[in-house]
Each structure stands twice: as structure tokens, then as C-alpha cells.
């Protein structure tokens, strides 16, 4: 049993899911894994079920239909909070764009005082591999835009590689998180900061997937662009009181 749970949402990740699971379980620190699969027609969940016979610390939640990244993580957060052993709860992609070796560094940051540790592409320059320049610029300037509108001091506002201390997810009203794509990642950081939690950025090197298909779309980017303004306006009418 581990005190650390990695949540990995999947949709059509048969090329990557076994490799990422085996890599995480090969690390020196023992993490548990929760796969949230949104009804992948390519058999991703069947691969996970087979691996569960080998790895008791591998968990699977299956959902029907492609319901969105944000809802998958909310589902995973609630699953983790129902089990008292998890002190550290992670977000990570299945496609190796997030290096599993960095999980320990994120956990260490939270052990050493952070409430949320972000694997950041931009805290030390631009550390992205295999992205076209147009994608790098879009992501980089999206973070600048988020800082301008929200006034949060986060260099990589759309990052999806994170470690949360349990108390953060127990405090944030998860049912009030509204967005599902890039905006979900921004909203979680923004909300954690509004509640007064300490958010730190840990430099990583982000490597674009080499197998499988990216889930990025113009709809997701548009949601983020408009959503940043919406969440800032909504914050004027919300209270961010942490329980004693």
C-alpha cells in the first residue's frame, strides 16, 4: 500500500498504457496507479485489466463515452478521497509527455512544504521537445494570458503534470469545477491559490508523444481562452474560506 496515487486518464492509449504502467511500477518509490478509461474502443481497458493480475496496486475505473479530461480527474480525485491512505495525489498523461522519473521530484516538493507541485515547462526557459513552434508559442502565450487575466504567478498555467497534497482536493469543492480541457488545469491552479494553498513549479522537460493521437483541439483551446475570463469573474462572487 502506498500513500501516493497517480491518476492517468485514457482514451485510445493502447500503444502507451502498458509501457507507462510498467515504467511507474519500476521506479524506486512505490506509487499506486488509477487508470480512468473513457470507454476506449481500441481495448485500452482490456490491457489494464490484464496487467491488474500482475500489479495489485493498479486500479481501473471505466466510464462510458468520452466525457472529458476534467471530469476524469474529478472522478479520480473523489475516488482517492474516499480512501484514507492517499496523502499525495497526482495527475499524469499516459503518453510519456510527462516523464515518470519526475514523479518523485513532485512528491518531494510537496513533502517539503508545497501544497501543489506543478511539473513546469516554462519556469526555467522553454523546455519542450518535439512540438512544432506554433504549438510552443500557443502554449507559452496562453500562460502569459492566464497570468494577465487572473494575476496568479504561475509560469505554466496549463500544465497537466501535478502533485496535490490531500488537503487541497479535500478543500476545493470539486463539483463546482466547471471546465473539462485546458481550462480545467487552469481552474484547479487558480482555485488552489484562491484558497491560500502554496503552489510551486518544479522544472521538467516535456516531450511530445511519439505514439497514439493527441486529444488537443481548437474547441479545448477556445474553452480555455474564454474560461479564464469566466473564472476570474466568478471569483468575485465566491468565498474561499478554508475549514479550520
Amino acid at each position: 500500500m502506498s500513500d501516493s496515487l497517480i491518476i492517468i486518464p485514457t482514451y485510445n492509449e493502447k500503444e502507451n498504457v502498458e509501457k507507462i504502467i510498467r515504467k511507474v511500477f519500476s521506479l524506486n518509490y512505490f506509487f499506486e496507479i488509477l487508470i480512468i478509461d473513457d470507454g476506449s474502443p481500441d481495448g485500452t481497458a482490456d490491457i489494464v485489466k490484464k496487467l491488474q493480475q500482475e500489479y495489485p496496486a493498479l486500479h481501473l475505473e471505466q466510464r462510458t463515452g468520452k466525457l472529458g479530461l476534467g471530469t476524469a480527474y474529478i472522478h479520480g480525485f473523489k475516488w482517492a478521497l474516499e480512501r484514507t491512505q492517499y496523502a499525495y495525489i497526482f495527475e499524469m498523461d499516459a503518453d510519456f509527455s510527462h516523464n515518470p522519473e519526475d514523479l518523485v521530484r513532485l512528491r518531494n516538493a510537496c513533502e517539503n512544504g508545497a501544497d501543489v507541485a506543478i511539473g513546469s515547462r516554462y519556469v526555467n526557459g522553454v523546455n519542450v521537445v518535439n512540438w512544432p513552434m506554433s504549438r510552443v508559442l500557443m502554449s507559452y502565450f496562453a500562460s502569459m494570458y492566464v497570468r494577465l487575466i487572473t494575476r496568479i504567478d504561475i509560469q505554466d498555467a496549463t500544465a497537466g503534470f501535478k502533485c496535490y497534497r490531500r488537503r487541497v482536493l479535500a478543500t476545493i469543492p470539486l463539483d463546482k469545477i466547471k471546465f473539462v480541457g485546458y481550462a480545467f488545469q487552469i481552474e484547479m491552479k487558480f482555485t488552489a491559490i484562491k484558497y491560500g494553498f502554496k503552489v510551486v513549479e518544479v522544472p521538467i522537460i516535456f516531450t511530445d508523444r511519439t505514439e497514439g493521437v493527441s486529444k488537443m483541439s481548437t474547441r479545448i483551446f477556445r474553452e480555455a481562452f474564454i474560461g479564464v475570463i469566466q473564472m476570474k469573474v466568478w471569483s468575485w462572487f465566491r468565498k474561499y474560506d478554508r475549514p479550520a
Side-chain angles (χ1 to χ4, degrees):
M1 183 179 294
S2 175
D3 67 353
S4 300
L5 178 73
I6 304 164
I7 301 170
I8 305 178
T10 57
Y11 183 78
N12 286 350
E13 290 288 357
K14 68 178 183 180
E15 297 92 350
N16 294 304
V17 70
E18 179 170 354
K19 287 182 283 189
I20 197 75
I21 288 168
R22 291 192 182 280
K23 178 60 179 178
V24 170
F25 285 131
S26 74
L27 297 173
N28 289 331
Y29 191 87
F30 175 50
F31 296 92
E32 295 192 27
I33 301 174
L34 172 63
I35 302 291
I36 310 285
D37 187 71
D38 271 6
S40 298
D42 71 347
T44 297
D46 293 332
I47 296 171
V48 177
K49 288 176 184 176
K50 184 177 179 181
L51 289 169
Q52 284 183 300
Q53 300 172 24
E54 185 176 347
Y55 298 113
L58 174 61
H59 313 283
L60 172 65
E61 288 283 287
Q62 291 181 266
R63 308 195 304 168
T64 56
K66 194 175 179 183
L67 303 176
L69 181 73
T71 66
Y73 276 126
I74 295 296
H75 184 107
F77 295 159
K78 291 179 177 180
W79 189 95
L81 291 173
E82 289 170 359
R83 292 154 177 83
T84 58
Q85 69 264 34
Y86 301 122
Y88 303 97
I89 300 161
F90 295 75
E91 296 181 16
M92 190 173 76
D93 290 348
D95 60 8
F96 284 93
S97 56
H98 303 145
N99 185 349
E101 298 282 352
D102 290 325
L103 288 164
V104 175
R105 296 173 60 231
L106 295 180
R107 188 183 183 281
N108 287 344
C110 284
E111 272 197 313
N112 292 324
D115 294 304
V116 183
I118 300 169
S120 177
R121 297 163 289 189
Y122 307 129
V123 71
N124 284 345
V126 177
N127 293 299
V128 177
V129 177
N130 292 339
W131 262 7
M133 184 55 66
S134 60
R135 184 83 181 269
V136 174
L137 291 173
M138 181 179 73
S139 175
Y140 183 78
F141 285 109
S143 287
M144 289 183 62
Y145 169 71
V146 171
R147 292 197 301 276
L148 176 66
I149 300 297
T150 65
R151 301 299 180 183
I152 62 173
D153 186 20
I154 300 294
Q155 299 301 310
D156 195 351
T158 61
F161 191 23
K162 289 183 281 186
C163 175
Y164 298 92
R165 295 186 69 173
R166 180 187 185 89
R167 65 188 182 193
V168 178
L169 299 178
T171 299
I172 292 174
L174 297 174
D175 289 332
K176 292 185 178 180
I177 299 296
K178 297 181 181 296
F179 297 108
V180 298
Y182 257 21
F184 166 80
Q185 303 293 6
I186 301 164
E187 187 176 10
M188 286 297 295
K189 298 178 188 73
F190 178 72
T191 305
I193 291 169
K194 293 294 286 185
Y195 272 103
F197 290 111
K198 182 179 180 180
V199 179
V200 303
E201 294 183 84
V202 177
I204 64 162
I205 296 175
F206 178 96
T207 304
D208 195 21
R209 67 164 64 232
T210 57
E211 295 188 84
V213 178
S214 173
K215 312 307 186 294
M216 174 54 66
S217 69
T218 55
R219 181 187 63 80
I220 291 173
F221 184 75
R222 185 168 59 249
E223 178 203 57
F225 185 84
I226 299 170
V228 170
I229 298 173
Q230 289 176 317
M231 73 179 71
K232 178 64 175 180
V233 172
W234 292 334
S235 73
W236 297 338
F237 304 98
R238 286 182 60 183
K239 292 184 179 181
Y240 296 90
D241 298 326
R242 284 165 60 175

